[in-house]
Amino acid sequence: MIVIRLVNITVDNGLHLPADRSFGIRISGHAGDDIRGRDIVCAAVSALAQTLVLSINRLLDVEQAVKTENGFLTSTVNPVMDKSEEDRLKLLIESFLIGILEVQREYPERVKIDYEVG
């Protein structure tokens, strides 16, 4: 199973990012839907996650730490001070979540979304 964990990001009447601590996403696991290299669920999640990370790097002026390994990706962002950058970052994360939620709807036994606040 692929687990997407939103760290210090809340989704309650809109997306909320903390002003005083880092936040981000952690993705781990494998869908196990097919053999490596042919698993469409893993490919979909990977494409969405990589697009989010690259979009943050190329379109925004915010600091992001990224770590990737086989079956694992983490992106951590420091608090965003500029309101315009925060709004743009929220839009990117919301777009990522729209895609992930659609993959989860299609493959609920393969994708899980968790929230970690603390």
Side-chain angles (χ1 to χ4, degrees), residues 37-38 46 53 60 63 68 83 118:
R38 292 183 37 180
S46 179
V53 166
L60 302 179
E63 188 177 333
T68 59
K83 177 70 172 143

Side-chain angles (χ1 to χ4, degrees), residues 83-96:
K83 177 70 172 143
S84 173
E85 289 297 306
E86 180 181 356
D87 289 344
R88 294 172 69 201
L89 180 57
K90 283 182 179 180
L91 185 60
L92 291 176
I93 294 170
E94 288 170 345
S95 179
F96 166 77

Side-chain angles (χ1 to χ4, degrees), residues 63-75:
E63 188 177 333
Q64 173 186 218
V66 178
K67 181 179 178 184
T68 59
E69 293 177 19
N70 185 29
F72 180 81
L73 179 141
T74 182
S75 166

Side-chain angles (χ1 to χ4, degrees), residues 2-6 25-28 45 96-97 100 104 111-115:
I2 298 173
V3 177
I4 296 111
R5 180 164 285 118
L6 303 178
I25 60 166
R26 287 188 201 138
I27 301 173
S28 61
V45 171
F96 166 77
L97 289 174
I100 289 296
Q104 183 188 42
V111 178
K112 179 181 178 184
I113 300 173
D114 278 342
Y115 299 89

Side-chain angles (χ1 to χ4, degrees), residues 36-86:
R36 184 182 172 126
R38 292 183 37 180
D39 191 319
I40 62 171
V41 179
C42 283
V45 171
S46 179
L48 289 165
Q50 290 178 31
T51 299
L52 174 62
V53 166
L54 291 171
S55 295
I56 291 170
N57 280 342
R58 296 179 185 175
L59 301 175
L60 302 179
D61 187 26
V62 297
E63 188 177 333
Q64 173 186 218
V66 178
K67 181 179 178 184
T68 59
E69 293 177 19
N70 185 29
F72 180 81
L73 179 141
T74 182
S75 166
T76 304
V77 177
N78 287 330
V80 180
M81 298 301 200
D82 182 81
K83 177 70 172 143
S84 173
E85 289 297 306
E86 180 181 356

